Amino acid sequence: MTTAVTGATGHLGGLVIEELLARGVAPGDVVAIVRDESKASKLATQGITVRVADYNDPDSLRNALAGVDKLLLISGSEVGQRLAQHTNVIEAAEANGVALIAYTSLLHADTSGLSLAPEHVATEARLRESSVPAVILRNGWYWENYLAAIPQAVSTGTLFGAAGEGRLAAAARADYAAAAAAALTADSDQAGKVYELGGDERLTYAEFARAIGEASGATVEYRDLSEADYQATLVGAGLPAPVATMLASSDAGIGRGELDTDSGDLQSLIGRSSTPVADIIAPALG
């Protein structure tokens, strides 16, 4: 049974491959699909098959998926281009008779107002039309998304955001990787399943600020801004306008409860609680 992982040299893809190996998948049964082969030397030395393909190159994708039984399609990072890119991957899987696609979507994608949601919804719809069965992994927010904000919050004493009193059921990237590996290696049929994935600690930003303070020994408070003011603050801090817009939109979504869940799907898949946020905060403090 051969399992392919797209974006295999990325943060999530690399962790998924580690999890697959930890679950007993033989290195020779793992296909790492990468854009830059020079970045995959470590994978190759482990005995993993490395194949070069690009989401924008259908021919390369068809070649890369030859002989693959299961595929993890990690959503692309080029906002606005992702549906076309994902469709290329799905069509390559169809052409090769892949037996299962697992796709990393967004928590509550079908009801979410986040700016990231529409492309995920469209990709999920394309997967439902596909001849290849699919399992949807609707990932919540990563705690790692806040790695840059944590030391800044400690130095200024303020965590800025626009989430109001909304709760955030984030988890570590490694938790989502473990969930993907679990779905890909499950004995039970995964076709048609939709998992709403989120962590155990459903924190407001005020509670997150207190957790940062407890870990650092500093006093950190949360300052809530409007979506527009937070966006302007991020731009003023040097972030590109599209990134600032996405982050401010995401915070507004947190305020609406769109990145919160108590489904228990993540915990059920990985067989444990999610990684404590304190374990993410500590390394960020240096």
Side-chain angles (χ1 to χ4, degrees), residues 29-42:
D29 290 333
V30 177
V31 175
I33 298 177
V34 304
R35 287 190 299 178
D36 186 348
E37 190 171 11
S38 67
K39 296 181 179 180
S41 57
K42 180 180 177 181

Side-chain angles (χ1 to χ4, degrees), residues 28 65 78 111 135 160 171 210 221 223:
L65 294 181
E78 298 177 62
T111 59
V135 52
F160 292 94
R210 286 197 291 273
E221 297 180 347
R223 181 178 175 186

Side-chain angles (χ1 to χ4, degrees), residues 127-146:
L127 285 167
R128 286 193 296 272
E129 297 170 355
S130 176
S131 59
V132 180
V135 52
I136 307 300
L137 304 165
R138 289 181 172 170
N139 288 351
W141 230 223
Y142 299 167
W143 282 126
E144 285 88 347
N145 291 347
Y146 298 95

Side-chain angles (χ1 to χ4, degrees), residues 150 153-154 157-159 165 167 201-223 277-278 281 285:
I150 291 169
V154 172
T158 304
L159 175 70
E165 297 182 359
R167 293 196 172 274
E201 294 172 278
R202 301 163 57 214
L203 303 181
T204 65
Y205 270 18
E207 291 168 338
F208 183 38
R210 286 197 291 273
I212 295 171
E214 290 172 3
S216 64
T219 298
V220 179
E221 297 180 347
Y222 172 55
R223 181 178 175 186
V277 66
I281 294 172
L285 297 175

Side-chain angles (χ1 to χ4, degrees), residues 2-5 13-27 29-31 48 70 72 177-186:
T2 301
T3 302
V5 177
L15 288 170
V16 172
I17 289 177
E18 289 180 13
E19 286 286 343
L20 289 171
L21 298 179
R23 289 174 174 271
V25 178
D29 290 333
V30 177
V31 175
I48 292 165
K70 295 182 179 181
L72 175 63
L184 289 165
T185 58

Side-chain angles (χ1 to χ4, degrees), residues 41-67:
S41 57
K42 180 180 177 181
L43 296 173
T45 59
Q46 293 177 275
I48 292 165
T49 300
V50 176
R51 296 178 182 172
V52 178
D54 190 292
Y55 284 176
N56 294 308
D57 184 347
D59 289 338
S60 71
L61 291 166
R62 283 193 291 272
N63 292 333
L65 294 181

